[in-house]
């Protein structure tokens, strides 16, 4: 019969205090509990941990074990109790053998049903279900009002000691004014708890989907408005998009690339109000020319006295 070093089983020192032993047991019991661990040897590990705690939690039984450890701890495989050994820690009601514990335990202590048997542990302690993290893509247009989304995701479920992933489908309301990186907690929508344990929570991480036209700056939107050189020079009216409509912008004559036009209240919603939209003007040159357009550009160059790099002359 192999000697069992209960201190090594719980990974504590021989002089560990009871509080340390309790913490070590709790950690290992959670790790190896068959309802939480699908490994083939999890149940045996759980029983070994429970057996070690059954001995070391009781001061008198621990003292007897320490005495036995001094006697036979080095014998390992060929351990037998001292001649005539009989534990003094045998309250009335002990049975002859405890099938949940090892032959080593039963050779030293009369056995009883452990208060840490698997069914009782599950009912008394329970395990909270695992929290679930889920990224939720949201279009900029959907941030203007509350939207209802159907979400599908996988949650871990242990059935008959086997871990598997089960698809869960729920409908959730995404509030207006959500922004990139917002975290929304849905209590009890994660994995189911074990025993009396509560279900885990579902955490939604908001990810704003990039828009083909708008860039986001806080709660403001930036829209680049392409214009031809003559539109910038002569002025014009341009129909531009917003998140939920279209508006007409009046471009003043002789406008400049990079110039910003503010459209109030056409940005993203926030708890404090609504952001603005900024139209950023940009000259776009034609991609092709012909002899006639080349002649017009040359006449313009010869007619207009304009030096676009005049500021450079101060430093060059």
């Amino acid at each position: 019969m192999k000697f069992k070093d209960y201190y090594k089983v719980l990974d504590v020192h021989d002089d560990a205090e009871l509080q340390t032993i309790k913490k070590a047991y709790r950690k290992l019991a959670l790790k190896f509990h068959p309802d939480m661990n699908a490994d083939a040897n999890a149940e045996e590990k759980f029983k070994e941990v429970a057996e070690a705690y059954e001995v070391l939690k009781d001061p008198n039984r621990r003292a007897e074990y320490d005495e036995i450890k001094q006697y036979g701890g080095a014998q390992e495989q060929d351990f037998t109790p001292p001649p005539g050994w009989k534990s003094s820690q045998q309250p009335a009601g002990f049975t002859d053998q405890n099938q949940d514990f090892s032959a080593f335990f039963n050779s030293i202590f009369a056995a009883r049903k452990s208060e840490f048997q698997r069914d009782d542990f599950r009912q008394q302690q329970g395990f909270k279900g695992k929290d679930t993290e889920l990224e939720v893509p949201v279009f900029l247009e959907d941030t203007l009002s509350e939207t209802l989304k159907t979400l599908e995701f996988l949650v871990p479920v242990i059935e008959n000691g086997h871990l598997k992933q089960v698809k869960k489908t729920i409908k959730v309301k995404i509030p207006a004014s959500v922004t990139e990186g917002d975290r929304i907690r849905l209590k009890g929508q994660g994995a189911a708890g074990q025993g009396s344990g509560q279900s885990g929570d579902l955490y939604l991480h908001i990810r704003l989907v990039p828009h083909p036209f708008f860039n986001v700056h806080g709660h403001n939107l930036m829209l680049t408005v392409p214009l031809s050189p003559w539109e910038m020079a002569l002025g014009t009216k341009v129909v531009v998009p917003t998140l939920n409509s279209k508006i007409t912008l009046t471009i003043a004559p002789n406008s400049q690339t990079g110039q910003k036009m503010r459209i109030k209240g056409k940005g993203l919603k926030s708890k404090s109000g609504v952001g603005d939209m900024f139209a950023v003007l940009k000259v776009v040159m034609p991609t092709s020319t012909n002899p006639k357009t080349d002649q017009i550009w040359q006449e313009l160059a010869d007619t207009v006295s304009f030096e676009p790099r005049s500021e450079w002359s101060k430093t060059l």
Side-chain angles (χ1 to χ4, degrees):
M1 180 174 57
K2 184 178 179 179
F3 180 85
K4 285 185 174 291
D5 190 331
Y6 291 136
Y7 293 104
K8 286 185 178 180
V9 171
L10 294 183
D11 194 23
V12 296
H13 295 296
D14 290 6
D15 58 354
E17 296 181 355
L18 180 59
Q19 188 65 23
T20 301
I21 291 173
K22 286 182 177 180
K23 288 182 179 179
Y25 165 72
R26 173 70 177 175
K27 177 182 177 181
L28 293 172
L30 289 172
K31 178 179 179 181
F32 293 117
H33 196 282
D35 284 351
M36 298 298 292
N37 191 325
D39 289 348
N41 63 345
E43 185 168 0
E44 288 303 316
K45 288 284 188 181
F46 177 82
K47 288 181 178 180
E48 187 177 39
V49 168
E51 178 178 318
Y53 181 66
E54 184 74 15
V55 173
L56 299 184
K57 72 175 182 177
D58 183 274
N60 294 324
R61 189 175 296 165
R62 180 179 179 181
E64 290 189 351
Y65 170 74
D66 288 343
E67 183 179 345
I68 287 289
K69 188 171 186 292
Q70 290 182 351
Y71 165 80
Q75 299 180 33
E76 296 187 354
Q77 299 295 337
D78 300 323
F79 172 79
T80 55
W85 170 265
K86 186 177 181 180
S87 172
S88 61
Q89 307 304 315
Q90 298 179 21
F94 271 34
T95 60
D96 291 337
Q97 294 290 313
N98 187 342
Q99 299 301 321
D100 289 333
F101 290 157
S102 66
F104 171 76
F105 178 94
N106 289 322
S107 71
I108 301 175
F109 307 104
R112 62 176 174 175
K113 291 184 178 180
S114 171
E115 62 182 296
F116 296 99
Q117 285 182 315
R118 182 170 57 188
D119 291 341
D120 290 340
F121 185 89
R122 180 173 60 246
Q123 294 299 324
Q124 293 176 10
Q125 301 292 337
F127 295 91
K128 180 183 177 182
K130 184 178 179 181
D131 291 339
T132 303
E133 308 277 342
L134 187 65
E135 288 195 353
V136 179
V138 177
F139 293 104
L140 294 185
E141 297 90 329
D142 293 339
T143 67
L144 299 180
S145 61
E146 182 180 86
T147 56
L148 185 65
K149 283 186 174 290
T150 299
L151 303 179
E152 293 185 350
F153 54 98
L154 297 177
V155 293
V157 174
I158 295 179
E159 293 183 358
N160 300 322
H162 297 284
L163 179 67
K164 65 178 184 179
Q165 300 290 330
V166 176
K167 184 171 71 173
K168 185 173 182 178
T169 303
I170 63 172
K171 290 185 177 181
V172 299
K173 291 181 178 179
I174 306 297
S177 74
V178 292
T179 60
E180 176 72 20
D182 279 356
R183 191 168 183 252
I184 301 173
R185 178 193 179 199
L186 300 178
K187 187 176 181 181
Q189 291 295 337
Q194 299 294 313
S196 60
Q198 297 179 344
S199 294
D201 299 328
L202 173 63
Y203 290 92
L204 306 182
H205 296 269
I206 301 300
R207 294 289 179 259
L208 295 183
V209 178
H211 196 280
F213 302 145
F214 300 103
N215 291 321
V216 179
H217 291 263
H219 289 93
N220 295 326
L221 296 176
M222 310 295 287
L223 172 68
T224 298
V225 180
L227 296 165
S228 66
W230 47 92
E231 287 177 323
M232 291 282 269
L234 303 174
T236 189
K237 291 183 180 296
V238 182
V239 177
V240 299
T242 70
L243 281 181
N244 57 1
S245 63
K246 295 179 181 179
I247 61 173
T248 300
L249 283 184
T250 299
I251 310 300
N254 299 317
S255 294
Q256 301 291 321
T257 290
Q259 184 176 330
K260 295 179 181 178
M261 300 180 64
R262 179 186 178 190
I263 301 94
K264 189 174 181 180
K266 287 298 183 179
L268 300 177
K269 285 188 175 181
S270 68
K271 295 179 180 179
S272 59
V274 182
D276 300 326
M277 186 177 90
F278 290 87
V280 184
L281 307 186
K282 179 183 178 181
V283 171
V284 179
M285 295 295 296
T287 56
S288 62
T289 62
N290 55 52
K292 185 175 181 178
T293 57
D294 289 341
Q295 181 182 354
I296 294 174
W297 284 120
Q298 187 59 54
E299 290 176 357
L300 180 63
D302 295 339
T303 303
V304 179
S305 177
F306 175 60
E307 174 51 66
R309 293 169 297 280
S310 59
E311 289 293 323
W312 289 12
S313 61
K314 298 178 181 179
T315 58
L316 294 178

